[in-house]
Amino acid sequence: MQNTLKMIIQNATKNNKMWVTDWDSQPLPRVTHLPTGSNNKDGSSKDRDEDRRDRGNNGRNNGRKMRRKAAPDYKDIVDLDADKLSREKRHKRFIDMERGHSTGGGGGGNDLDGETKFMSSEAIEGTSMEMEKMYVRLQSMPDPASVRPERVLAKWAERLQVKYDTDEADWEWISDQFKGIRQDFVIQHIRSPHAIKAYETNGRLALQEHDYPEFYKIQSFLMGLYKDNEEAKDNEAEFMAYRLLYWMLNNNTVDMTKDIRNMAPSLKKHPCILHTIALHQALELSDYVSFFRLYSETPNMGKCIVDTLRDRTRTRALRVVLRAYKPSIPVDFVQEQLGFKVTGGIDEMLNSSLGMANEDDDDEDDNNWSKFADDHCLVSVTEDPTVVDCKATLDALSQAERQKATER
């Protein structure tokens, strides 16, 4: 090794590369293959004697070093085998028990995470006839006597829908009952149309309650059920549209693009999907006029998600309108641009322009112009209360936002 390094240094000095070479990046020389160039001929016999002497003196040490190097190699092999076995077990567990469809991003996943280790890869047939059952995370292998069969689960899901519609129970209790239903479906490996119907019912109720984390778990598993039931995919387009809207709500364009790219051609042409894509384009282009028009045409229960997007867009659109139409703008024009119903009577318009809500107005969906005008500090001009003072409104709105930021 010493002779090899000398030779490298001599060659670098001879070629004037001694001080310009980046020695830190140069590879280490090989000991087993010494250079055989013309510069090495004179000292070849001497080098061989030195190498023979070095091998005789350091033979034992070299043997120890080789043995020490062999140990990590064996350990690495053992670790790789253990890691491979662990991955295979985990993969089998997910294939057997968690066959729900999920495409990254967004977190979520299945509501039975952490329980699969207590489930058998073979389906368990439940025998319990008791409908009501609170959801409890599994801490041991499930007992068939405590698991409800498919017909009981389907009947109980229908009853829960009635209880929700008639206000017999609150959402927290109903959601807990549905989680128990989904758990029993997974334990028994039931992926039938009855399971799809129960998941769809649970998903719609979660949307109405704006319980988006629970909805994401439901629709993720539901996508897998649709794949296994070609004859029960009547509502696939509806829930795929909800899924895309959920991505929009979380600004997750990556997963939304993946879902659209992997979508069947027939599904892409469905009116629900086309409407959702158009809504997303309007939102990305900040085309608030098209957005509010499409919002009013949202099919099924998509408005439960788009309502949140609408409120965000209205705040941004209000600033654009106020800056574009300085110094003043009629109230009815602002209402029309922001997707509100234009007020009819002059009294109502006066109250609206001043941010005065009617006492008899029981609108609870935040689609109330008077409430919006009050929250966003709309100020009318002195001469005409039906005209908004753009500059005064922008100043009041900025001051209110600064005050809110300070309070936080």
Side-chain angles (χ1 to χ4, degrees):
M1 173 62 75
Q2 183 178 2
N3 295 325
T4 304
L5 293 175
K6 285 181 179 180
M7 189 183 310
I8 293 174
I9 295 173
Q10 290 174 359
N11 290 335
T13 304
K14 181 179 180 180
N15 297 324
N16 295 324
K17 295 183 178 180
M18 182 66 182
W19 304 109
V20 296
T21 303
D22 186 6
W23 297 107
D24 292 335
S25 62
Q26 295 297 319
L28 293 176
R30 296 179 178 273
V31 181
T32 56
H33 299 288
L34 294 174
T36 58
S38 59
N39 295 332
N40 198 34
K41 289 181 179 179
D42 295 338
S44 59
S45 59
K46 182 179 179 181
D47 291 343
R48 284 196 295 271
D49 293 339
E50 291 180 357
D51 291 341
R52 191 180 300 110
R53 185 167 57 254
D54 291 339
R55 285 196 298 269
N57 294 335
N58 301 325
R60 293 184 179 182
N61 293 334
N62 290 339
R64 293 194 192 98
K65 291 180 181 179
M66 293 178 64
R67 284 194 293 272
R68 284 198 296 269
K69 291 180 180 179
D73 294 339
Y74 175 75
K75 184 178 180 181
D76 291 341
I77 294 174
V78 173
D79 292 342
L80 288 174
D81 291 341
D83 185 57
K84 182 179 179 181
L85 182 62
S86 177
R87 287 200 305 269
E88 289 177 353
K89 289 182 178 180
R90 185 167 63 251
H91 178 68
K92 184 178 184 302
R93 188 163 67 245
F94 278 105
I95 290 297
D96 288 345
M97 304 305 301
E98 299 291 319
R99 295 171 61 197
H101 174 70
S102 177
T103 56
N110 201 283
D111 53 310
L112 300 176
D113 291 342
E115 300 185 45
T116 54
K117 60 184 177 181
F118 299 117
M119 299 180 186
S120 173
S121 58
E122 298 181 359
I124 294 176
E125 186 174 353
T127 59
S128 176
M129 294 291 108
E130 185 176 354
M131 284 191 171
E132 183 176 344
K133 174 187 172 183
M134 301 302 293
Y135 169 76
V136 179
R137 293 187 66 87
L138 294 178
Q139 302 297 327
S140 61
M141 294 298 292
D143 182 10
S146 63
V147 179
R148 296 161 293 184
E150 180 178 0
R151 63 182 185 277
V152 176
L153 295 173
K155 187 67 176 179
W156 185 230
E158 295 176 358
R159 291 279 297 276
L160 289 175
Q161 170 77 67
V162 175
K163 288 180 178 293
Y164 180 85
D165 294 337
T166 57
D167 293 330
E168 291 185 28
D170 59 7
W171 167 244
E172 184 178 358
W173 181 84
I174 292 177
S175 177
D176 187 83
Q177 291 296 311
F178 267 111
K179 289 180 71 173
I181 291 175
R182 302 201 307 267
Q183 184 185 59
D184 285 355
F185 273 131
V186 174
I187 289 174
Q188 300 176 91
H189 295 195
I190 298 176
R191 307 177 67 82
S192 64
H194 286 304
I196 292 179
K197 185 177 180 181
Y199 271 81
E200 289 176 345
T201 301
N202 192 187
R204 293 189 183 100
L205 296 183
L207 279 180
Q208 293 182 56
E209 292 293 326
H210 300 283
D211 191 349
Y212 298 130
E214 194 69 16
F215 167 76
Y216 177 69
K217 297 176 185 178
I218 296 165
Q219 60 85 28
S220 295
F221 201 87
L222 192 56
M223 295 298 108
L225 294 179
Y226 284 138
K227 285 187 174 182
D228 293 347
N229 293 269
E230 293 293 333
E231 72 283 357
K233 301 174 66 173
D234 297 340
N235 299 320
E236 182 182 14
E238 175 189 351
F239 278 85
M240 179 56 75
Y242 297 155
R243 181 181 178 88
L244 298 180
L245 291 173
Y246 178 83
W247 296 140
M248 291 170 57
L249 183 66
N250 291 276
N251 297 320
N252 192 341
T253 56
V254 175
D255 286 318
M256 183 175 184
T257 304
K258 287 181 181 179
D259 281 340
I260 295 175
R261 184 175 63 247
N262 298 328
M263 206 177 295
S266 59
L267 198 59
K268 289 182 182 180
K269 298 178 182 178
H270 194 279
C272 293
I273 304 299
L274 293 176
H275 176 274
T276 303
I277 294 175
L279 197 66
H280 178 258
Q281 291 175 347
L283 196 63
E284 289 296 308
L285 296 174
S286 298
D287 183 1
Y288 59 85
V289 175
S290 298
F291 176 85
F292 292 126
R293 175 179 55 81
L294 291 168
Y295 165 77
S296 62
E297 302 171 358
T298 304
N300 301 317
M301 300 179 64
K303 284 188 177 181
C304 295
I305 300 178
V306 186
D307 280 345
T308 305
L309 297 172
R310 176 203 62 185
D311 296 339
R312 297 178 188 172
T313 307
R314 274 180 175 164
T315 301
R316 293 196 297 266
L318 176 63
R319 286 186 172 275
V320 173
V321 171
L322 293 175
R323 291 193 181 102
Y325 291 93
K326 285 182 180 180
S328 61
I329 183 174
V331 173
D332 56 350
F333 182 78
V334 178
Q335 291 174 336
E336 182 181 0
Q337 291 294 300
L338 300 185
F340 287 98
K341 293 181 180 179
V342 179
T343 53
I346 185 64
D347 293 336
E348 185 178 357
M349 186 176 294
L350 288 171
N351 290 337
S352 298
S353 63
L354 297 173
M356 297 171 58
N358 292 331
E359 297 179 356
D360 298 333
D361 197 343
D362 295 329
D363 191 354
E364 297 180 355
D365 64 353
D366 290 335
N367 196 24
N368 185 324
W369 166 254
S370 298
K371 183 178 184 301
F372 177 85
D374 185 52
D375 292 342
H376 291 78
C377 308
L378 263 67
V379 181
S380 61
V381 298
T382 307
E383 297 80 7
D384 189 356
T386 63
V387 177
V388 177
D389 187 335
C390 297
K391 185 178 184 304
T393 301
L394 284 171
D395 293 342
L397 183 58
S398 299
Q399 183 178 358
E401 290 180 349
R402 286 194 298 269
Q403 185 176 356
K404 289 181 180 179
T406 305
E407 293 175 354
R408 292 175 184 173

